[in-house]
Amino acid sequence: MTVDLEPLWLTFKLATITTAVLLVVGTPIAWWLSQTRSRLKQVVATLVALPLVLPPTVLGFYLLLLLGPAGPVGRVTDALGLGTLPFTFAGLVVGSVIYSMPFLVQPVYNAFEAIGARPLEVAATLRASPLASFVTVALPLALPGLLSGAILAFAHTVGEFGVILMIGGNIPGETKVLSIAIYDHVESLEWAQAHWLAGGMVLFSFLVVLTMNLLGQRMRRIGHG
């Protein structure tokens, strides 16, 4: 029995890049949501949370249309000489960032909300700029939320299937991630290979939940302290 390890590496690569992009993009969104009084707040919050209730195949289908050669984004990327994103690794990253967005934004938003106004007001009295207050006060205080969001986003990306299948297909070395590889093995009645990969996913999921529980316990202790 041989187990192809390439999907493992591709999955790790996808989850790492997706989490990094989400930290850069999602953290400012969470900060804005926690601070703004704009009427658009609920609209933006709903759009961010939409992947939680939207069927993955539906999201993947519309991303396929949007990023495809006839879609507005596809026409732009094609005109720039980048080609189209569907059925490429870059397309998987775009789909994964959108699909895992709420798993990072929500914990980070909750962490920013828990800070309250007092620390930022103190920073303002010391003549700290809004950017300096964000970097030196808000981010350090929200670190547990950032860690929780990063862990959840990484784990969610590892387990993706529907969006990946719709926008990436099953191209070895390019879009064939772990979840697709398990599906392939089951479809081919290769139970032993499927067991190895699926068992690894079960262990990974257990460790993620355990880490989240330990992190939550530590946050509660810090809060009581």
Side-chain angles (χ1 to χ4, degrees):
M1 182 195 71
T2 58
V3 178
D4 185 9
L5 298 180
E6 190 174 49
L8 291 172
W9 160 244
L10 198 61
T11 302
F12 177 79
K13 179 182 172 183
L14 175 63
T16 301
I17 294 175
T18 297
T19 304
V21 172
L22 280 172
L23 283 170
V24 173
V25 175
T27 301
I29 293 175
W31 176 248
W32 181 82
L33 288 172
S34 70
Q35 301 298 308
T36 187
R37 295 181 180 178
S38 170
R39 294 179 180 179
L40 295 175
K41 176 179 179 177
Q42 293 306 320
V43 176
V44 175
T46 301
L47 288 174
V48 170
L50 199 59
L52 290 173
V53 296
L54 200 63
T57 50
V58 173
L59 178 60
F61 172 69
Y62 283 110
L63 283 175
L64 192 62
L65 295 180
L66 185 68
L67 303 176
V73 176
R75 283 197 289 266
V76 171
T77 57
D78 200 29
L80 293 174
L82 302 175
T84 52
L85 296 178
F87 308 107
T88 67
F89 182 79
L92 292 190
V93 173
V94 172
S96 297
V97 166
I98 294 173
Y99 190 43
S100 294
M101 180 75 74
F103 291 87
L104 181 125
V105 170
Q106 192 59 52
V108 177
Y109 168 79
N110 291 338
F112 284 144
E113 281 277 286
I115 293 173
R118 181 63 179 167
L120 299 175
E121 290 172 353
V122 171
T125 61
L126 297 174
R127 298 184 179 180
S129 67
L131 179 59
S133 298
F134 173 71
V135 173
T136 62
V137 178
L139 282 181
L141 291 176
L143 184 58
L146 287 164
L147 290 175
S148 298
I151 292 170
L152 284 174
F154 186 93
H156 187 254
T157 303
V158 168
E160 286 179 18
F161 178 76
V163 172
I164 296 293
L165 187 62
M166 292 294 291
I167 199 172
N170 184 5
I171 304 173
E174 183 74 18
T175 64
K176 186 178 180 180
V177 295
L178 187 56
S179 57
I180 303 296
I182 293 173
Y183 177 78
D184 268 0
H185 287 311
V186 172
E187 202 173 35
S188 302
L189 302 180
E190 296 170 348
W191 304 112
Q193 291 91 332
H195 270 307
W196 274 102
L197 296 179
M201 287 287 286
V202 171
L203 178 60
F204 171 77
S205 301
F206 174 82
L207 292 175
V208 167
V209 174
L210 180 62
T211 302
M212 292 298 298
N213 288 339
L214 293 174
L215 186 59
Q217 188 179 46
R218 182 173 177 80
M219 289 173 62
R220 286 192 294 271
R221 286 178 180 174
I222 293 174
H224 291 317

